[in-house]
Amino acid sequence: MKNRTKIILIIGFTTLLLSIGARALAKTTITKTIESNQITDSSLFEQELEEDGKHYILSGYEELIAIPETKVQTYTSDEKILNSNARASLDNEFESSYLYEDDEFKGELKLKDYKIQEIDNGYQERIDSKYIYFNNLPTNDLEQIAKEQVIQGANYVLINVEWSANSSLDVDGTVVPTTYNGKALYQCVIRTANPKTYKVQAIYEGIVTKKNGSNEYILTYTEKEDSKPIVEEKHNNITPVFIATAGIMMIGIIIMLTNKNATVYNLQKGTLVKLKSKRIRAESVIDITDCENISGNNFILVIKDSSYQKLNGKRVYIQFNKQRKEIILTSHKIGFKF
């Protein structure tokens, strides 16, 4: 409880010091942010300025390298008329990447896909002729000849038949045909589709970077004292050191007061069970009454090596319920019972 009170007081005091230092620093310095498209020499910055009736001089600056602005960019190429839409064929016709650049951005885009439009080039027509022969017909009458024939899935129409005698008789010196052969001409209009072609454009996509990225500079100005000469970057050095020192002191004191250097263990079936850790000094009391995981009456007190040299030979107490055990520190590890 005493340590906690000390910690609270130390934190409060250190916070007060930091607050005072910060207010002192705020009163004497101001900052200004500017942008530039190129790294600028400090001599080109505004060296002095006035604000709220006070005169300030440049005491330092910090350069913030800006991350260039980027964006996703797509590009569609000029179209090409090609005979194939196979991917391998298209890859041979177009580049795998495209160097993109406009007024603000540039970068390399990678081939992503193709935009393909099929072109129907119509068809061609031609007349195809087929002959079918008929033999040993009784007459040369067209009625016995089919007017249409389906050949290889196409419908052919009868155009003409050439007749010739197959057999004949001599009647009173006149040869009279008795059977006939026929040569029938059938024709069909064959339509053949012209090969298709393809209108193709390559689509590219990638990250492009802004060409003229600007850097930011944070300029620090220190209030000028009329009675003292202007010395760049040497004003108000005491205040930051003061603040840093106070902060380090606070951290060090808190660590020192909260670092636990003693631990009580309960020996249970050959296993050490941790009960409580605490920072102790001579005559300190470690109360284990509120520890719920106690079993048996074998205990060990362990002191950290870093603290034992100061505590060697000192006396401490272990409290358990209404019993208080006195222990003289003669070793890093001391076993005891109640």
Side-chain angles (χ1 to χ4, degrees):
M1 191 68 180
K2 292 181 180 179
N3 286 342
R4 185 178 300 175
T5 302
K6 290 180 181 179
I7 292 171
I8 294 173
L9 291 175
I10 291 170
I11 292 175
F13 178 70
T14 308
T15 303
L16 177 62
L17 295 180
L18 293 173
S19 175
I20 294 172
R23 286 199 297 269
L25 183 61
K27 289 179 181 179
T28 57
T29 62
I30 60 173
T31 59
K32 180 180 179 182
T33 303
I34 65 171
E35 289 188 3
S36 175
N37 292 332
Q38 58 184 358
I39 296 178
T40 306
D41 186 86
S42 61
S43 63
L44 301 179
F45 293 138
E46 186 178 10
Q47 299 298 307
E48 299 187 19
L49 57 83
E50 287 190 7
E51 189 170 304
D52 297 330
K54 295 181 179 180
H55 188 199
Y56 295 86
I57 61 172
L58 180 67
S59 59
Y61 73 93
E62 179 182 0
E63 179 183 355
L64 303 179
I65 304 300
I67 299 176
E69 180 183 349
T70 60
K71 68 175 183 177
V72 177
Q73 181 67 47
T74 59
Y75 170 77
T76 303
S77 72
D78 295 335
E79 65 184 27
K80 292 183 179 183
I81 305 299
L82 304 174
N83 295 325
S84 173
N85 65 346
R87 180 77 187 211
S89 177
L90 300 181
D91 288 346
N92 289 330
E93 294 289 340
F94 293 91
E95 298 293 336
S96 61
S97 62
Y98 175 77
L99 295 178
Y100 176 88
E101 184 171 2
D102 59 20
D103 292 340
E104 294 185 85
F105 292 86
K106 68 176 181 179
E108 183 179 14
L109 311 182
K110 298 297 183 180
L111 179 63
K112 180 182 179 182
D113 204 352
Y114 294 104
K115 180 180 179 182
I116 303 173
Q117 181 181 349
E118 187 179 277
I119 301 174
D120 187 349
N121 293 311
Y123 56 88
Q124 296 178 352
E125 290 184 339
R126 63 180 179 84
I127 296 176
D128 186 48
S129 298
K130 301 289 185 184
Y131 288 95
I132 297 179
Y133 296 88
F134 301 94
N135 298 314
N136 201 28
L137 297 177
T139 67
N140 59 355
D141 190 349
L142 288 177
E143 291 298 327
Q144 58 189 328
I145 304 300
K147 303 302 184 288
E148 295 182 357
Q149 292 281 355
V150 177
I151 303 173
Q152 294 179 344
N155 192 34
Y156 285 75
V157 178
L158 178 64
I159 302 301
N160 187 31
V161 179
E162 296 180 7
W163 297 103
S164 62
N166 180 50
S167 62
S168 60
L169 292 174
D170 188 349
V171 179
D172 297 330
T174 302
V175 178
V176 178
T178 56
T179 59
Y180 294 86
N181 293 332
K183 180 183 178 182
L185 171 63
Y186 288 88
Q187 290 183 336
C188 176
V189 177
I190 301 297
R191 178 177 293 181
T192 304
N194 292 322
K196 292 180 179 180
T197 53
Y198 303 89
K199 185 187 295 182
V200 183
Q201 293 174 285
I203 300 173
Y204 297 87
E205 184 175 280
I207 303 297
V208 293
T209 304
K210 197 167 186 178
K211 293 190 288 188
N212 297 321
S214 60
N215 296 332
E216 283 191 353
Y217 296 87
I218 301 178
L219 309 182
T220 301
Y221 290 88
T222 303
E223 184 178 358
K224 180 180 179 182
E225 297 181 12
D226 295 335
S227 60
K228 297 181 180 180
I230 298 175
V231 179
E232 187 174 311
E233 298 186 358
K234 290 187 178 179
H235 294 280
N236 296 314
N237 287 336
I238 296 177
T239 301
V241 172
F242 173 76
I243 295 173
T245 302
I248 293 172
M249 288 175 59
M250 180 180 69
I251 294 171
I253 294 173
I254 290 175
I255 291 175
M256 182 183 70
L257 293 178
T258 58
N259 184 29
K260 298 175 181 179
N261 59 356
T263 303
V264 178
Y265 294 89
N266 183 203
L267 183 60
Q268 301 177 13
K269 297 180 180 181
T271 302
L272 290 178
V273 177
K274 182 179 177 180
L275 298 180
K276 179 174 289 187
S277 293
K278 181 178 180 180
R279 180 166 186 83
I280 65 169
R281 57 184 179 180
E283 304 297 328
S284 291
V285 177
I286 304 176
D287 191 351
I288 61 172
T289 303
D290 58 348
C291 296
E292 299 177 354
N293 54 339
I294 297 176
S295 177
N297 191 28
N298 291 309
F299 301 89
I300 295 177
L301 174 63
V302 179
I303 308 298
K304 282 188 176 181
D305 292 343
S306 57
S307 300
Y308 177 71
Q309 186 175 359
K310 294 181 180 180
L311 294 174
N312 185 19
K314 306 296 183 182
R315 181 170 51 194
V316 296
Y317 300 90
I318 308 296
Q319 183 77 32
F320 181 49
N321 294 325
K322 296 181 179 180
Q323 303 177 73
R324 176 170 290 191
K325 183 74 174 181
E326 178 185 275
I327 298 177
I328 305 298
L329 301 178
T330 58
S331 175
H332 294 275
K333 297 181 180 179
I334 300 176
F336 64 93
K337 295 181 179 181
F338 284 95

